[in-house]
Amino acid sequence: MTAIPLQPPRRLIEFTLDGAGTRVPEGSTILDACRAAGKDIPTLCEGDTLTPKNACRVCVVEVEGARTLAPACSRRAEPDMVVRTDTERARHSRKIVLELLASSTDLSTTPRAAEWIKEYEAKPDRFGPDAARVDEQPKIDNDLYVRDYDKCILCYKCVDACGEQWQNTFAIAVAGRGFDTRISVEQDAPLTDSACVYCGNCIEVCPTGALSFKSEFDMRAAGTWDEEAQTETTTVCAYCGVGCNLTLHVQDNEIVKVTSPHDNPVTHGNLCIKGRFGYQHVQQR
Amino acid sequence: MDLRYTDAKPSDDERAAVDELLGPPESGWEGAGRSVTDLRWARGGAAARDRRDLLLPALHAVNDRVGWLSEGALDYICRRLTVPPAEAYGVATFYAMFSVKPRPAKVLYVCTDLACAAEGSGAVCAGLEERLAAPGSSAPGGVVWQPSPCLGLCERAPAALLLRAGAAPGAGSGEGVPARGGAADRRPAAVGTRAAVVAPATVDGLLATVAAPERAALEPPATAAVPQAGDPGLVLLRRIGVVDPYSLDDYRAAGGYTALRRAFALGPAGVVREVLDAGLVGRGGAAFPTGRKWEATARQPDHPHYLVCNADESEPGTFKDRVLMEGDPYALVEAMTVAGYATGAHRGYLYLRGEYPRAYERLTHAVAQARLRGLLGPDVLGHGHAFDIEIRRGAGAYICGEETAIFNSIEGRRGEPRSKPPFPVEKGLFGKPTAVNNVETLVNVLPILTHGAAAYARTGTESSTGTKLFCVSGRVDRPGVYELPFGARLRDLLGLAGGPPPNLRAVLLGGAAGGFVRPDELDIPLTFEGTRAAGATLGSGVVLVLDDTVELPAVLLRIAEFFRDESCGQCVPCRVGTVRQEEALHRIKDRTGAAAGDIALLREVGGAMRDASICGLGQTAWNAVESAIDRLGAFE
Ligand code: SF4
Ligand code: SF4
Ligand code: SF4
Ligand code: FES
């Protein structure tokens, strides 16, 4: 693994987390502190390489003195703050958020969703059979990747990755308003008519599987996708001199998708179209 | 940034509308014809990106001219401002007054919100559907009508607003009544508008207006909404009906600009002290001390500082800011100048809701006049302080009244609220320290400075000083804007408006985000602390009176529908929660399913919306429904 450059030292701040005194470097979020303390707070829209939009609200915690709950993923710890992560109120909101999401979108390919739904005793069915759903058909308009917005939780990560935080292409944005909000390209056009450069960085960050490799989408449809049987090998892209790290996901001796390690200080998980999708030559196709 | 445009071409009209706002394009990079030098020289980039905030005005320019936003028009705007086409599309589809699909030049908005529903907007809509067309589909004569949230004309409910796209400014929204002393309406011809307000609306009246908008009846003057007009006890409303809203001299003759002179005598810190001593708190609903906000902004080392006037009055049942701006526009201009001086801001943005064409016209005129006379500009009143005001129009989004959503909207982004902290006084508009104040709050600064903090604080109660504007609508004889000292009882207010109806069912206090009070609670004192103690809120000053002919479940459903429509869609508790709330209320109203179960469901979802939503919209979306269940026994 590549070495991560040392940051300048930061001041430590002290606050109370679930009754225990905690010290974290200045600038840490409550979630950082929770993770350091070994607490498992559910998160959906949070990501390791992007500034979280704190839109899903599944990580909310109670901060003493505050009228509302705070998103742990983006609220910075402050000196002398008193934070409780497991109160009735916080658990209630998490449960409702999971119910609201699971009743309106398809969380079947969202890692850990099923586990949290069980843990918080969420019952997405109780809004009745007529509860409004996102109800989108998968958009299959190119050979590289599929957009299945029925699974989208509107975490804004793909928008940030395509836009100012990673790729600077700005091909996708949020359109519409309220429940009709959707991730979309200009004029809601097919991807092939948009500004997309097929770097696939949006797939890299999508937490729900709403964006996926066409290969993965097809294999799932055919029932042949088997993550257990896959191996992952990290190597160096051979196309150009940048030298990005590629992680090849291989099932039955075939590359089924390519990701990139997020802790690589050069690319942070970014690739270009060649590294991400140009693997067929390896398999001589 | 490596932007790819769609290459769809704008029509000549669309191009002209944009060029009129931005000036002609300077190079091939911006959409002009390509010249040889363009091939050697890339322009645009950072300089153009700095103008991103012109996106909303540019969308308005095209929408005003053509009536909708074609792909070619969007692409041309994107080139001119270096905005990614996907983002411009996202912004255009965020606002209710824009359309990215072709539509006729005339759009008729018919209010179906609380006051109008109580006064028969349902029948108006049914009549239009029968005699014109289905909502949303174009009718012969080049018109489309659509139901609308509150148009801020509740005192004349049911209300409608016709907007006409086209190049030529027309008539239709002028003030028919002469100003003081019978002088003719001095509206300058240049400030025409393409809007016609019809309120109260009838089907016949609307059809006639649609057929011949230029012959639409004139709107009554702003004072028609002030039943107390002429009362010497008025403070904030005192000039309405007394001065000609187009005349700066009238305004000065009626005491205008004494507050600003006093401000210059006191110095910025002195002004802040005076406002603090007066005990002024924000009138937009949150009741935060205005002086503290100004002080915190003034103290920030980061520059420039900005002032934003929140004139996006969109709470259903609220129309006081409209009446203030239409009847006494210079007061707001002066108050903003004082606020800019006190907070160290040299630029003030006046964010006005898009559905207020007459206020827009008058404020535009007032700002221009003030600039002409040196009351705005590089050297205000010769005191060496630079301050100017830019008016920005919203485009149909209640959420843009949220203090941080305003910033995004002005900056040319979707009007989504930002998470706090950081707070606006630290990082607000364009990431700089910003003071955001509502119209009524700002106008209060004038009497504070004119008569002094002590005199101001003698009115009202100890923790609610001064006077408050209330928007009384619904089943009363004299709906309108009322001004009372804090501490008056709800009963007194209703008395002024003609008394509560004998069959009073409930009063909605504070608007859709507020709550209901019962007929036996009319002694509730109208102060921040008094309403809070009674489990209610003053909010934006809505007092909607409902008698027992009104179906409460239908009112609740309309409130739920309002929040569902107006949610920005950013966070899950609000985006999905408001939908689930509306569904449950539908089930209860239709009596399908178990009501008890649905009420429990409402409580659970409501609790999460209140606790976990990013902004006030989601946090308050369940207030009114909850109070109807708990205080009125709505579903028993
Ligand atoms: S597509 Fe994926 S990454 Fe994009 S907003 Fe939806 S869930 Fe998030
Ligand atoms: S992924 Fe693209 S940029 Fe990175 S090394 Fe491969 S070809 Fe070069
Ligand atoms: S509470 Fe509603 S309006 Fe506010 S940010 Fe969330 S979705 Fe948007
Ligand atoms: S204008 Fe219709 S409810 Fe306010």
Side-chain angles (χ1 to χ4, degrees):
Chain A
M1 185 95 30
T2 336
I4 298 188
L6 276 181
Q7 304 284 319
R10 287 189 288 175
R11 223 158 46 95
L12 290 181
I13 59 162
E14 277 181 59
F15 75 107
T16 312
L17 184 61
D18 286 335
T22 312
R23 304 174 81 191
V24 289
E26 195 174 23
S28 306
T29 63
I30 295 175
L31 186 67
D32 295 333
C34 288
R35 289 192 170 152
K39 293 179 199 296
D40 182 24
I41 309 282
T43 59
L44 285 169
C45 74
E46 183 265 349
D48 51 359
T49 57
L50 298 167
T51 307
K53 186 78 176 166
N54 63 68
C56 81
R57 315 305 274 186
V58 77
C59 69
V60 285
V61 296
E62 204 162 335
V63 177
E64 211 172 273
R67 194 168 41 83
T68 55
L69 301 173
C73 69
S74 48
R75 176 63 58 84
R76 310 227 171 262
E78 290 162 29
D80 304 324
M81 218 178 199
V82 179
V83 177
R84 305 202 159 270
T85 63
D86 220 27
T87 62
E88 185 85 27
R89 255 175 98 198
R91 290 188 67 93
H92 172 78
S93 281
R94 284 183 211 153
K95 168 184 133 173
I96 297 289
V97 163
L98 289 165
E99 285 180 343
L100 293 174
L101 271 181
S103 63
S104 54
T105 52
D106 170 7
L107 296 184
S108 62
T109 48
T110 305
R112 301 200 63 191
E115 175 193 330
W116 290 324
I117 284 177
K118 202 154 157 229
E119 180 190 339
Y120 288 92
E121 295 171 16
K123 297 189 189 61
D125 294 341
R126 68 194 179 117
F127 300 114
D130 299 330
R133 290 189 59 86
V134 168
D135 250 346
E136 295 274 316
Q137 290 304 310
K139 292 183 194 294
I140 311 171
D141 49 22
N142 67 87
D143 290 335
L144 299 184
Y145 78 96
V146 175
R147 300 175 290 160
D148 184 1
Y149 291 132
D150 200 35
K151 293 178 170 173
C152 173
I153 60 167
L154 283 169
C155 69
Y156 289 63
K157 277 161 89 173
C158 55
V159 177
D160 289 343
C162 185
E164 61 188 7
Q165 293 194 35
W166 274 12
Q167 177 66 22
N168 266 284
T169 290
F170 298 92
I172 44 184
V174 184
R177 186 167 87 192
F179 196 73
D180 300 327
T181 306
R182 298 285 185 276
I183 302 294
S184 163
V185 300
E186 60 270 31
Q187 305 294 331
D188 201 13
L191 213 54
T192 44
D193 292 345
S194 78
C196 175
V197 298
Y198 304 94
C199 63
N201 290 333
C202 56
I203 314 176
E204 181 78 45
V205 296
C206 181
T208 62
L211 305 175
S212 66
F213 276 72
K214 179 91 169 20
S215 51
E216 173 173 348
F217 183 84
D218 289 344
M219 286 173 77
R220 281 188 189 275
T224 54
W225 182 259
D226 183 2
E227 222 148 86
E228 306 278 289
Q230 292 169 8
T231 58
E232 292 176 20
T233 310
T234 298
T235 177
V236 176
C237 175
Y239 275 112
C240 83
V242 172
C244 304
N245 278 188
L246 307 180
T247 301
L248 309 177
H249 298 245
V250 177
Q251 180 179 332
D252 295 332
N253 213 23
E254 267 196 46
I255 301 173
V256 292
K257 70 171 177 184
V258 178
T259 59
S260 178
H262 289 196
D263 58 0
N264 182 309
V266 179
T267 60
H268 300 287
N270 283 266
L271 295 174
C272 75
I273 180 173
K274 292 180 284 181
R276 180 87 62 193
F277 294 107
Y279 52 78
Q280 296 299 354
H281 72 289
V282 179
Q283 299 163 171
Q284 298 179 334
R285 277 178 211 147
Chain B
M1 164 141 91
D2 157 36
L3 297 186
R4 180 171 172 266
Y5 302 106
T6 67
D7 289 331
K9 292 279 169 280
S11 71
D12 290 347
D13 253 4
E14 291 164 341
R15 182 185 286 267
V18 177
D19 289 353
E20 202 168 286
L21 176 80
L22 301 176
E26 282 179 5
S27 71
W29 297 98
E30 282 189 60
R34 191 161 286 196
S35 70
V36 186
T37 46
D38 287 340
L39 299 175
R40 305 206 190 108
W41 199 352
R43 258 184 289 203
R49 273 201 296 287
D50 280 348
R51 301 196 299 171
R52 166 76 184 245
D53 68 295
L54 292 175
L55 178 57
L56 190 56
L59 296 176
H60 266 304
V62 173
N63 194 63
D64 285 351
R65 177 80 60 107
V66 186
W68 68 286
L69 304 164
S70 72
E71 190 175 340
L74 279 173
D75 195 61
Y76 184 60
I77 293 172
C78 288
R79 275 181 201 274
R80 295 297 315 273
L81 298 173
T82 317
V83 175
E87 287 190 5
Y89 180 76
V91 171
T93 54
F94 184 83
Y95 295 98
M97 291 172 78
F98 295 148
S99 168
V100 291
K101 303 231 163 59
R103 68 174 173 188
K106 284 183 264 184
V107 184
L108 176 65
Y109 298 89
V110 181
C111 175
T112 54
D113 226 319
L114 303 172
C116 291
E119 298 298 323
S121 65
V124 173
C125 289
L128 285 178
E129 183 146 15
E130 197 184 297
R131 294 175 53 189
L132 197 60
S137 52
S138 16
V143 65
V144 58
W145 77 276
Q146 61 188 66
S148 157
C150 179
L151 292 168
L153 297 159
C154 322
E155 86 279 8
R156 282 180 274 151
L161 169 69
L162 179 76
L163 295 182
R164 253 188 315 159
S173 168
E175 178 157 313
V177 171
R180 185 170 50 112
D185 181 3
R186 274 173 278 165
R187 182 160 68 105
V191 196
T193 109
R194 275 174 250 103
V197 161
V198 189
T202 58
V203 179
D204 286 330
L206 288 179
L207 292 177
T209 308
V210 162
E214 57 292 338
R215 285 205 299 276
L218 293 181
E219 263 196 87
T223 103
V226 182
Q228 291 164 301
D231 182 334
L234 295 180
V235 181
L236 307 177
L237 299 177
R238 132 182 114 86
R239 267 184 298 257
I240 294 181
V242 174
V243 299
D244 174 356
Y246 288 100
S247 164
L248 179 52
D249 292 325
D250 255 23
Y251 177 69
R252 291 170 68 121
Y257 282 101
T258 44
L260 183 62
R261 284 179 203 285
R262 175 100 200 292
F264 282 133
L266 290 170
V271 175
V272 169
R273 202 173 322 112
E274 202 78 352
V275 172
L276 275 173
D277 290 348
L280 176 65
V281 302
R283 304 291 199 245
F288 187 83
T290 306
R292 290 219 336 253
K293 193 185 271 183
W294 287 11
E295 193 171 38
T297 309
R299 233 187 10 229
Q300 295 293 326
D302 194 9
H303 278 275
H305 295 178
Y306 289 107
L307 172 76
V308 172
C309 170
N310 184 350
D312 190 67
E313 171 178 67
S314 312
E315 181 77 28
T318 317
F319 45 95
K320 61 187 170 73
D321 292 347
R322 174 180 60 81
V323 171
L324 274 176
M325 293 185 287
E326 289 182 349
D328 196 7
Y330 289 100
L332 183 56
V333 174
E334 182 185 357
M336 283 183 70
T337 313
V338 172
Y341 179 62
T343 53
H346 298 294
R347 176 161 283 269
Y349 286 87
L350 203 171
Y351 189 88
L352 179 69
R353 75 176 297 208
E355 293 90 339
Y356 280 180
R358 188 160 73 165
Y360 179 66
E361 173 193 306
R362 291 186 179 180
L363 285 163
T364 307
H365 179 256
V367 166
Q369 289 299 308
R371 208 175 278 146
L372 220 58
R373 304 271 286 268
L375 295 163
L376 287 176
D379 182 15
V380 175
L381 271 177
H383 280 264
H385 177 73
F387 185 74
D388 214 327
I389 295 176
E390 195 167 322
I391 304 179
R392 288 299 173 90
R393 258 190 302 161
Y398 168 72
I399 190 57
C400 289
E402 202 275 344
E403 58 176 0
T404 59
I406 287 193
F407 304 151
N408 279 329
S409 186
I410 294 177
E411 288 176 22
R413 304 184 181 278
R414 293 164 54 82
E416 294 170 349
R418 302 175 182 171
S419 317
K420 293 182 279 191
F423 291 93
V425 295
E426 227 181 284
K427 281 194 189 324
L429 187 62
F430 304 116
K432 298 295 179 183
T434 305
V436 195
N437 293 114
N438 143 285
V439 174
E440 187 188 343
T441 315
L442 284 168
V443 171
N444 265 285
V445 172
L446 304 177
I448 292 177
L449 288 179
T450 313
H451 306 297
Y456 180 90
R458 271 198 293 279
T459 312
T461 66
E462 203 172 317
S463 27
S464 301
T465 56
T467 58
K468 173 82 190 96
L469 298 182
F470 295 97
C471 314
V472 183
S473 61
R475 290 303 157 86
V476 288
D477 292 338
R478 288 187 294 279
V481 186
Y482 287 85
E483 178 172 7
L484 285 178
F486 275 109
R489 313 256 148 192
L490 179 52
R491 187 184 302 285
D492 309 333
L493 174 62
L494 294 183
L496 283 175
N503 51 347
L504 178 68
R505 172 83 164 98
V507 177
L508 179 62
L509 205 58
F516 290 96
V517 298
R518 288 189 306 268
D520 62 332
E521 292 177 307
L522 297 186
D523 284 320
I524 189 168
L526 296 174
T527 55
F528 292 113
E529 63 280 11
T531 43
R532 201 176 305 130
T537 168
L538 284 189
S540 54
V542 172
V543 178
L544 175 67
V545 182
L546 302 173
D547 66 15
D548 62 10
T549 62
V550 178
E551 266 182 78
L552 202 50
V555 173
L556 298 185
L557 203 51
R558 172 63 216 177
I559 292 176
E561 184 186 75
F562 174 80
F563 282 113
R564 186 259 293 147
D565 269 354
E566 298 296 335
S567 165
C568 83
Q570 197 180 194
C571 65
V572 178
C574 173
R575 179 177 76 236
V576 191
T578 51
V579 173
R580 298 289 177 255
Q581 169 168 286
E582 192 192 348
E583 287 168 351
L585 287 170
H586 261 297
R587 283 197 296 272
I588 295 175
K589 185 163 172 276
D590 305 343
R591 300 207 186 286
T592 58
D598 276 323
I599 289 176
L601 204 64
L602 280 169
R603 280 190 205 285
E604 283 200 40
V605 173
M609 286 200 283
R610 181 173 293 159
D611 272 351
S613 295
I614 293 182
C615 85
L617 185 144
Q619 288 159 11
T620 59
W622 145 248
N623 283 0
V625 181
E626 182 184 39
S627 86
I629 294 173
D630 290 346
R631 296 171 83 104
L632 302 182
F635 300 124
E636 275 160 18

